[in-house]
Amino acid sequence: MVTSHPRLALFLLAAATVLYTALLVEAAATRKPWNDEAMAAQAAYNLGTQGRTGVDFWDVKSPFYPGIKQHSYYIFPFQLCALAVWYKLAGFSLLSTRVISILWTLLMLAAINQMIWCLTKSRGLALLSTVLAAADYHVMTEAAFGRYDTMVAALGFGAYALFLSLRQKHLLLAIALSNLSIAMAGATHPNGLIYFLGLWFLVLYFDRSRVGWKILAAAAIPYLVGAIFWARYIFEDFRSFQTQFAMNSGGRYGMLHPIDTLIHEIQYRYIRFYGLGPHSAGHSGGYIRLKALSLVAYAVGLVGCLSSRSIRSDARFQPLLALLGIHFFYLTFCDNMKFAYYLVHLVPLYWAALAVFVYQSVKRGRVPQWAVVVMLGIVAAVQVGGILAKIRLNDYGKSYLPAVEFVKRQAAPTDLVAASCSFGFGYGFDRNLIDDDTLGYYNGKRPRFIVAEEIYESTWQDMEPLFPAIYRHVRDVLSTYKLVYDAADYKVYRAQP
């Protein structure tokens, strides 16, 4: 057995981590950038170099982004602070923006392993849960993406692990550190609230008789300190904060329309994002539907655990199933945006439930071990194969870069280029780039070049029923431009003399 040879086990763990990290880095290097990454990246870069969190590519006359040159209030501050420090260490680039997301993912997986071991006291079960979570397609996809979701998940699951590891001997320290981690998660994204609910469920489940005023005071300190610093930042330009925050938070709370949000949850989170619905440009094909194999695995684990009295009544597994319920309820009924990014907060718990079910089934002799190994191996191979397919697709090198190089050759330094801010990673954020999908509706500017791709095209489609006047303006402007580049989902329009 490997567990009887600790040096061999350590070597295998290190080798697996290196290979896994290399896979994620390659996925990060071949994926075209997205506007979410650029928004945070330039704001963090400006914070580290100029002391301001504003960005330079938004239309300052737009009613949605007042004060945007100085403050980016639509992004929570802790991510910007962490990124600014990271850029000092690793330099500013698209890849470095994604590498820190990979590091957060590794920390998240370590926290999940520790959390499940603390709950079950089974190293095998903890390792199986962690491996299944690591091989999840959506976990790997978010790891290779420069958003803040893996950071929130690492801090949230880290809070669970800290509390469970320290609670028996050092409850006060466990409360202080775990709530500090939750406070940092909440200062990164509102989804930190998921882990606040989960953490306090664990506190009350295990130690409600030990919770006194000292414990509550230790828990409150991180939130109070964070609130003081955040409030100071907000009141630097409160009106801009109000407008930006309202713009970015509108329509996010699904509890106001529970039936609709449940329907949307099924349509988007479990149909579209698992290959059973419409796909992104360049990512269609029959093999995409293989992602739905994960849904079968989730269902097997969840139904298996809930239908087994021995699992439901086992004190080792009850907190884990309760956390799954909390995370599922929040993402289903409290989050109305239904982004695939947020699956990183939920799927590790689905895999933990499957691990518990198969582990108990093998232990009781209901399923042969070899059959479990084969089935889980197929599920993992399909998901890793999906990442390898995206690497082979290489939409960064085959789609994004050619468009960037074309505009670089055609545009003079003084030419205004309208494009999604994601274009700035390759083109340069300092090359007279403006992210204005209204094409001058508010500012009257006429760019020399317009770069249209998936982001702009979908925005223009949404404008037609919601903002018909802006939509007509966009179409009128495009009719006066000449299409000079059309390849691999990118179109470049040049203004006519």
Side-chain angles (χ1 to χ4, degrees):
M1 296 291 291
V2 173
T3 52
S4 62
H5 299 83
R7 290 186 179 180
L8 177 60
L10 186 61
F11 171 78
L12 292 175
L13 177 62
T17 302
V18 169
L19 291 174
Y20 182 69
T21 304
L23 175 67
L24 296 181
V25 170
E26 186 65 17
T30 54
R31 181 178 183 177
K32 69 179 180 182
W34 201 249
N35 55 359
D36 288 0
E37 298 175 289
M39 293 182 215
Q42 205 203 19
Y45 178 78
N46 288 340
L47 175 62
T49 57
Q50 303 174 29
R52 63 184 176 97
T53 61
V55 297
D56 303 309
F57 45 71
W58 290 124
D59 175 12
V60 294
K61 293 188 177 181
S62 167
F64 304 111
Y65 295 104
I68 197 62
K69 291 290 184 181
Q70 293 299 321
H71 299 95
S72 292
Y73 286 119
Y74 60 89
I75 300 175
F76 281 23
F78 192 66
Q79 186 210 11
L80 301 183
C81 296
L83 264 180
V85 174
W86 174 250
Y87 289 147
K88 293 287 187 181
L89 300 174
F92 176 78
S93 69
L94 175 61
L95 186 59
S96 67
T97 303
R98 290 172 170 175
V99 166
I100 192 174
S101 184
I102 294 172
L103 296 178
W104 282 116
T105 301
L106 297 178
L107 181 61
M108 178 193 75
L109 294 171
I112 290 170
N113 184 276
Q114 181 66 13
M115 175 190 77
I116 295 176
W117 179 82
C118 288
L119 289 172
T120 66
K121 301 303 179 184
S122 171
R123 288 292 183 192
L125 183 54
L127 180 61
L128 178 58
S129 302
T130 306
V131 170
L132 290 175
D136 183 85
Y137 177 84
H138 287 285
V139 169
M140 291 186 287
T141 298
E142 293 316 305
F145 194 43
R147 271 176 57 102
Y148 35 71
D149 304 285
T150 57
M151 180 178 177
V152 176
L155 291 168
F157 284 114
Y160 296 166
L162 284 168
F163 171 74
L164 293 170
S165 299
L166 299 172
R167 52 166 289 271
Q168 289 183 323
K169 295 183 179 180
H170 308 285
L171 181 60
L172 190 66
L173 182 63
I175 291 292
L177 292 181
S178 59
N179 280 278
L180 174 61
S181 189
I182 294 295
M184 291 189 292
T188 302
H189 191 271
N191 281 338
L193 181 59
I194 303 173
Y195 299 96
F196 177 85
L197 298 175
L199 174 63
W200 278 95
F201 160 76
L202 292 175
V203 172
L204 297 176
Y205 182 88
F206 286 106
D207 297 296
R208 57 183 175 273
S209 63
R210 301 168 65 191
V211 174
W213 69 268
K214 289 184 179 180
I215 296 296
L216 295 177
I221 288 174
Y223 303 107
L224 292 175
V225 173
I228 291 171
F229 282 100
W230 201 346
R232 180 180 177 184
Y233 172 60
I234 287 172
F235 282 102
E236 289 181 6
D237 189 351
F238 185 68
R239 288 189 176 181
S240 294
F241 165 77
Q242 284 181 305
T243 304
Q244 290 186 33
F245 190 78
M247 178 277 301
N248 205 31
S249 60
R252 285 181 177 265
Y253 306 109
M255 284 293 289
L256 301 176
H257 309 283
I259 302 300
D260 289 341
T261 198
L262 179 60
I263 294 172
H264 292 160
E265 177 79 6
I266 296 171
Q267 288 178 336
Y268 288 91
R269 202 102 72 186
Y270 296 103
I271 294 180
R272 174 173 293 186
F273 297 143
Y274 282 89
L276 302 177
H279 315 300
S280 298
H283 296 75
S284 59
Y287 66 90
I288 292 292
R289 291 178 174 82
L290 290 174
K291 291 196 297 183
L293 190 61
S294 297
L295 291 179
V296 177
Y298 300 162
V300 169
L302 186 59
V303 173
C305 286
L306 295 180
S307 63
S308 172
R309 180 178 298 179
S310 62
I311 293 176
R312 293 197 315 268
S313 60
D314 195 319
R316 297 174 299 167
F317 307 135
Q318 288 175 341
L320 190 60
L321 295 175
L323 287 176
L324 173 55
I326 291 169
H327 283 233
F328 176 83
F329 179 86
Y330 183 95
L331 289 176
T332 299
F333 295 105
C334 299
D335 162 43
N336 203 35
M337 302 309 289
K338 309 307 178 189
F339 293 138
Y341 317 129
Y342 299 163
L343 283 166
V344 72
H345 305 302
L346 181 59
V347 294
L349 296 172
Y350 277 138
W351 290 117
L354 178 65
V356 168
F357 177 62
V358 299
Y359 188 83
Q360 291 297 98
S361 298
V362 170
K363 187 176 179 180
R364 287 175 168 77
R366 296 173 181 171
V367 181
Q369 186 172 353
W370 66 265
V372 170
V373 171
V374 170
M375 288 187 291
L376 295 183
I378 291 173
V379 173
V382 167
Q383 297 185 95
V384 173
I387 296 298
L388 293 174
K390 292 190 72 171
I391 292 173
R392 184 180 179 185
L393 183 65
N394 189 13
D395 54 15
Y396 178 82
K398 296 179 181 179
S399 175
Y400 175 76
L401 276 186
V404 168
E405 293 302 322
F406 175 83
V407 178
K408 277 186 174 181
R409 291 193 303 268
Q410 297 292 320
T414 56
D415 286 339
L416 182 64
V417 175
S420 165
C421 54
S422 60
F423 207 67
F425 280 113
Y427 184 70
F429 290 106
D430 57 347
R431 285 176 57 101
N432 212 12
L433 178 74
I434 185 171
D435 187 345
D436 178 17
D437 50 31
T438 71
L439 304 185
Y441 182 82
Y442 294 106
N443 58 30
K445 292 182 178 180
R446 182 178 171 87
R448 173 65 171 162
F449 291 91
I450 298 170
V451 181
E453 35 65 75
E454 186 178 353
I455 297 174
Y456 269 28
E457 293 286 358
S458 63
T459 302
W460 291 337
Q461 289 178 6
D462 294 340
M463 280 180 182
E464 187 173 10
L466 299 175
F467 307 102
I470 302 178
Y471 177 78
R472 288 193 298 269
H473 169 81
V474 167
R475 289 303 168 195
D476 289 343
V477 170
L478 287 176
S479 68
T480 66
Y481 279 65
K482 180 180 180 181
L483 181 64
V484 293
Y485 180 92
D486 186 0
D489 306 315
Y490 280 84
K491 295 179 181 179
V492 178
Y493 300 87
R494 183 175 61 205
Q496 298 280 41

